[in-house]
Amino acid sequence: MPQTAMHNALTHSTNKKISEGAFYPLGATLAPGGVNFALYSQHAKEVYLHLFDSAGSPPSDIIKIENRSRHIHHVFVHGIGAGQLYGYRVIGDFDPARGMRFNDSKLLIDPYAKALTGKFVNTENLLLGYNLSSPERDLSLDTRDNAHMVPKCVVVDDAFDWRGDSPPGIPLEKLVIYETHVKGFTAHESSGAKNPGTYTGFIEKIPYLESIGINAVELLPVHEYCVEDFLAQRGLTNYWGYNTIGFFAPESSYGTGTRPGCQVEEFKTMVRELHRAGIEVILDVVYNHTAEGNELGPTLCFKGIDNTSYYSLTGQHGQPLRYYMNYTGCGNSLNLGSPPVIRLVMDSLRYWVEAMHVDGFRFDLASVLGREDGQFQKSASFFDAVSQDPVLCRVKLIAEPWDIGTYQAGNFPVDWSEWNGRFRDTARKFIKGDSGQVREMGARITGSCDLYGDDGRSAYNSVNFITCHDGFTLCDLVSFNEKHNGANLEGNSDGSNENHSWNCGAEGGTDNPEILLLRKRIARNHICLLLFSLGTPMVLGGDEFLRTQRGNNNAYCQDNDISWFDWTFTVRNADIVAFFRKAVAFRNRYTILQRRKFLLGVDTDADSVKDITWFGKNTGGPSWDDPEERTLCYQLDGSEEKSDAGDYLLFFIHNADHVGQRIQLPQHEGYGWHRVIDTALGPGADFLETGKEVPIDPPDSYDAGPRSTVVLLAQKK
């Protein structure tokens, strides 16, 4: 199909000196005397580079790129430098049935842009006269120019004073990961941040993270993202940011906006200061889909540059490539079986490690990355490329091991860790008091050997979590039986209906002191179970002070005080903050809780391994298969740990029953049991300081309160 009238206006128009340039590296690269531009497109017929003096002005220069090598269009423009704004228009066939969606009416973002001037909101579909109701509208060429609403790409100077920064290199078994949102961390007025909701604002809260023992932050997406039409129409936004359009560009709205591209330097400063505090930076990244959506979505970047190269396409009714495979539920899926896509993702990952100094990645819907010919493959091209890469093979790689069509827990390559959804579900059900959970809970406490023990991985390849951004906060988990997502304007139909939560007797807020005490007790039980189980613990930011989202378990569109951290809760719930801080310190002190190997599982002879022994209520073995058993007891032997704690034994009582239990304690010559933790006791008594543990008297039993966690310590007398 012929292109639009815009094609006639795309004439070479510049006074700048240009030369051939190079096909490598892709993107806009600063060099002595100018900038090299390189853009991959196998099927484009012509490519035009547009330069801009400001984000809202017409192009100052239009340069036809004449040079092409290996499907890469390249040119060197002399006399320009860092801060230069640019974009592309690409000419080719418009034939959606064959997957061709070139449209020179659309200004396009460089896939390798390192910064953008601001946000794109697809208001063009809201203009009068455009038929949004027709499912066939993508077959008609949209000739409206979008340059006024597309952010411009920014040429970035990679130079930065890192002041000798180096990665902390913390082993997985010593990590305590804190999942949080850059903006939400300080956006609330209670944060007191000078620049709230920004990378620089985040820096101001680093001392707090240090104070509670956090040594890794996992940041919700910081890649530049777009807001979907349906959210904009409702007056909402994509707060979480799982809608990427720039895989090299840090999110512009988290910058101070002092100048175009300032967000790059500010992000680097945040990373440097976190590293100085001994805190690693893990990015939640979304390489499974892009913000362009399905065939009815906007043309912003990849669709208009080379649709068939970038996306997994499908068809029907004689239109073989019109539609998009949708393994993500977000409209499209990137084609990780395509060499240019693998190159894009690998280049992006290396950039964030080498230029931005991050320490690892959590891959959203990571099963999509292993799909080849529609099926998940443990030896997929992408996984092989990562494992062989000298930069990426040394950073932390964490998979969300599912997509909308497959659940692959335990099936990722040996150098990957995984979010352990089975730990989350089992912990919630067990602590709530559901029947028949003790055997499964035992497997999760000891490192989930059934998932990760057969391929050379350790217990710490299991990233244990009970709450995360997607779902209830810890406070809401113990305060609501049902989700309350009305603010999302979807009739409370969105979000999971199976939360395994319990409101402790009242839905939501209450003044009942008994219910409030019970909620805090159960919250402390969750903290203990998470931090004292084998595996890498991940805490949802704000859970340590019982942050609430008012029962919203899908707050992806709530860029407001539903999602933002209200720091007054650190005072209101100071007892929980103190408990959490002590629990992290306890985990660090008693290093048997950091064993890389799996502890003895529930189906093995208890005499064959010394470091763990399981008990029932009367020192016999546990009633693994009794559906009414809700108490789990075990002893860990740290006598050979060679740690500062000396020779020690730890005894754990997880009593999820609604009634108290008298637990018989094993006796060991030369050792005496002391109480360290009892969540049934009040603030201060619930977690005793080192050296102030209380001897157990009589020494042979302990009365565990209903719905409580008890930890006892025995050291040589």
Side-chain angles (χ1 to χ4, degrees):
M1 179 180 294
Q3 287 279 321
T4 71
M6 176 64 72
H7 188 184
N8 297 326
L10 288 178
T11 57
H12 183 84
S13 175
T14 183
N15 293 322
K16 291 183 168 59
K17 178 183 176 182
I18 62 173
S19 54
E20 180 178 348
F23 68 87
Y24 180 86
L26 287 163
T29 306
L30 199 61
V35 177
N36 189 80
F37 295 89
L39 179 75
Y40 176 90
S41 180
Q42 178 179 352
H43 299 101
K45 294 181 178 179
E46 296 177 16
V47 174
Y48 289 83
L49 171 68
H50 286 224
L51 304 180
F52 299 88
D53 292 333
S54 67
S57 66
S60 60
D61 299 85
I62 300 176
I63 300 169
K64 183 178 182 181
I65 301 180
E66 302 281 4
N67 307 293
R68 179 172 177 161
S69 307
R70 307 181 187 181
H71 303 312
I72 298 171
H73 306 255
H74 51 90
V75 65
F76 190 91
V77 182
H78 299 259
I80 62 173
Q84 175 65 57
L85 308 184
Y86 71 100
Y88 290 102
R89 293 188 191 268
V90 180
I91 294 174
D93 291 338
F94 182 78
D95 187 354
R98 296 191 300 113
M100 299 294 183
R101 295 185 179 272
F102 293 102
N103 186 346
D104 57 53
S105 293
K106 307 303 178 185
L107 184 72
L108 303 173
I109 295 168
D110 181 0
Y112 279 72
K114 294 177 180 177
L116 298 180
T117 57
K119 303 303 298 171
F120 175 92
V121 178
N122 188 30
T123 55
E124 66 176 24
N125 279 348
L126 308 181
L127 296 176
L128 295 176
Y130 193 50
N131 183 7
L132 288 178
S133 64
S134 172
E136 303 296 313
R137 65 182 185 271
D138 68 300
L139 298 179
S140 299
L141 186 66
D142 180 5
T143 60
R144 295 168 300 167
D145 193 299
N146 70 344
H148 62 289
M149 61 183 69
V150 174
K152 309 307 182 286
C153 308
V154 185
V155 175
V156 170
D157 186 349
D158 287 332
F160 180 73
D161 182 7
W162 283 103
R163 302 179 187 175
D165 175 70
S166 59
I170 302 168
L172 283 171
E173 64 268 23
K174 295 185 180 299
L175 279 189
V176 179
I177 301 173
Y178 190 85
E179 189 201 32
T180 189
H181 188 285
V182 168
K183 179 177 182 178
F185 196 51
T186 62
H188 196 276
E189 62 181 1
S190 62
S191 74
K194 180 181 178 181
N195 294 301
T198 65
Y199 303 117
T200 58
F202 199 98
I203 294 170
E204 298 180 56
K205 288 297 184 183
I206 291 176
Y208 169 79
L209 294 173
E210 291 182 279
S211 75
I212 60 173
I214 297 302
N215 57 15
V217 290
E218 183 173 304
L219 302 177
L220 266 68
V222 299
H223 290 168
E224 191 76 51
Y225 68 88
C226 290
V227 177
E228 299 91 329
D229 287 354
F230 76 93
L231 290 174
Q233 289 173 314
R234 297 174 187 169
L236 300 172
T237 190
N238 189 322
Y239 169 68
W240 286 350
Y242 289 90
N243 203 37
T244 306
I245 197 60
F247 292 109
F248 294 77
E251 170 57 34
S252 57
S253 68
Y254 305 156
T256 60
T258 54
R259 57 180 170 78
C262 68
Q263 61 267 29
V264 177
E265 181 178 347
E266 290 166 0
F267 179 88
K268 290 179 177 179
T269 303
M270 179 188 71
V271 172
R272 184 186 68 197
E273 296 309 304
L274 283 163
H275 282 179
R276 289 181 66 185
I279 299 173
E280 294 194 344
V281 180
I282 299 169
L283 299 187
D284 194 336
V285 289
V286 189
Y287 294 108
N288 52 72
H289 75 281
T290 79
E292 292 185 301
N294 63 16
E295 68 278 2
L296 303 180
T299 297
L300 305 174
C301 181
F302 308 96
K303 279 184 181 178
I305 292 172
D306 200 346
N307 191 54
T308 58
S309 291
Y310 283 108
Y311 290 113
S312 295
L313 301 176
T314 186
Q316 57 185 347
H317 308 307
Q319 299 175 321
L321 298 175
R322 178 184 171 189
Y323 301 103
Y324 294 79
M325 296 301 296
N326 187 19
Y327 304 122
T328 65
C330 299
N332 64 54
S333 300
L334 281 172
N335 182 8
L336 269 294
S338 168
V341 176
I342 291 181
R343 180 178 183 178
L344 170 77
V345 176
M346 295 294 290
D347 286 349
S348 170
L349 292 169
R350 279 191 294 265
Y351 172 76
W352 287 96
V353 174
E354 294 184 306
M356 307 295 259
H357 283 210
V358 305
D359 304 284
F361 306 94
R362 178 267 188 190
F363 293 83
D364 178 64
L365 300 181
S367 295
V368 174
L369 307 179
R371 282 185 179 268
E372 292 188 352
D373 297 325
Q375 300 297 315
F376 178 84
Q377 304 289 337
K378 190 173 184 177
S379 59
S381 300
F382 173 69
F383 296 147
D384 288 346
V386 170
S387 67
Q388 297 171 29
D389 188 274
V391 173
L392 301 179
C393 69
R394 58 183 171 83
V395 303
K396 294 175 174 68
L397 305 169
I398 303 171
E400 181 184 38
W402 52 80
D403 57 39
I404 64 170
T406 183
Y407 189 83
Q408 295 295 334
N411 292 333
F412 277 74
V414 67
D415 43 354
W416 286 64
S417 299
E418 300 175 23
W419 271 24
N420 191 342
R422 285 180 63 178
F423 183 97
R424 172 199 60 206
D425 295 343
T426 304
R428 289 184 176 197
K429 288 187 283 187
F430 173 78
I431 288 181
K432 183 161 70 77
D434 286 1
S435 63
Q437 299 301 314
V438 292
R439 178 178 290 277
E440 178 76 3
M441 195 70 255
R444 302 306 136 228
I445 285 172
T446 53
S448 295
C449 183
D450 54 332
L451 297 178
Y452 310 110
D454 60 353
D455 58 6
R457 289 191 282 180
S458 79
Y460 292 91
N461 291 109
S462 171
V463 176
N464 296 338
F465 66 104
I466 296 174
T467 56
C468 66
H469 69 277
D470 189 1
F472 279 151
T473 65
L474 179 57
C475 177
D476 292 353
L477 188 66
V478 299
S479 303
F480 294 92
N481 285 347
E482 308 294 337
K483 65 186 182 184
H484 295 265
N485 297 355
N488 299 352
L489 304 181
E490 297 183 40
N492 205 38
S493 63
D494 63 304
S496 175
N497 293 320
E498 295 187 10
N499 299 288
H500 307 300
S501 61
W502 180 46
N503 66 19
C504 297
E507 188 74 355
T510 180
D511 294 327
N512 186 312
E514 292 184 1
I515 291 176
L516 293 174
L517 285 173
L518 179 58
R519 287 176 178 176
K520 283 192 172 184
R521 179 189 300 186
I522 297 177
R524 292 193 291 267
N525 294 342
H526 280 292
I527 291 171
C528 289
L529 193 57
L530 177 63
L531 290 175
F532 303 153
S533 295
L534 260 69
T536 302
M538 185 188 77
V539 180
L540 174 62
D543 275 356
E544 77 283 2
F545 57 77
L546 297 184
R547 178 176 70 90
T548 178
Q549 291 179 171
R550 306 171 198 167
N552 192 321
N553 74 350
N554 190 34
Y556 76 103
C557 55
Q558 299 298 328
D559 188 5
N560 49 51
D561 60 3
I562 290 177
S563 298
W564 299 346
F565 284 38
D566 183 343
W567 289 91
T568 65
F569 277 74
T570 60
V571 178
R572 192 180 315 175
N573 295 315
D575 55 328
I576 300 297
V577 178
F579 187 93
F580 179 85
R581 181 186 297 116
K582 292 175 183 177
V584 173
F586 187 87
R587 180 178 184 272
N588 292 338
R589 178 173 175 80
Y590 297 101
T591 54
I592 195 170
L593 300 174
Q594 301 170 17
R595 283 282 187 96
R596 287 196 63 83
K597 71 175 183 176
F598 299 96
L599 291 176
L600 185 65
V602 300
D603 293 317
T604 313
D605 179 5
D607 295 327
S608 64
V609 175
K610 184 179 181 181
D611 53 20
I612 187 169
T613 308
W614 298 99
F615 292 96
K617 299 182 184 71
N618 299 308
T619 70
S623 302
W624 292 119
D625 298 313
D626 181 353
E628 300 308 313
E629 181 62 75
R630 291 177 172 84
T631 306
L632 192 56
C633 306
Y634 56 96
Q635 173 186 283
L636 299 182
D637 186 342
S639 60
E640 298 181 1
E641 285 298 294
K642 297 181 176 60
S643 70
D644 293 340
D647 292 345
Y648 61 88
L649 303 170
L650 296 175
F651 193 84
F652 293 82
I653 306 169
H654 296 285
N655 180 32
D657 209 314
H658 68 282
V659 297
Q661 304 289 339
R662 171 159 290 186
I663 306 299
Q664 298 299 312
L665 303 178
Q667 301 299 300
H668 304 279
E669 185 176 353
Y671 289 85
W673 291 111
H674 292 67
R675 171 171 57 82
V676 182
I677 301 171
D678 187 339
T679 62
L681 302 178
D686 57 0
F687 204 134
L688 302 177
E689 300 284 354
T690 300
K692 297 183 179 180
E693 302 89 353
V694 175
I696 303 304
D697 186 21
D700 60 348
S701 66
Y702 191 91
D703 289 330
R707 303 187 186 279
S708 68
T709 299
V710 175
V711 181
L712 307 179
L713 169 68
Q715 293 177 300
K716 282 194 173 179
K717 297 177 182 178

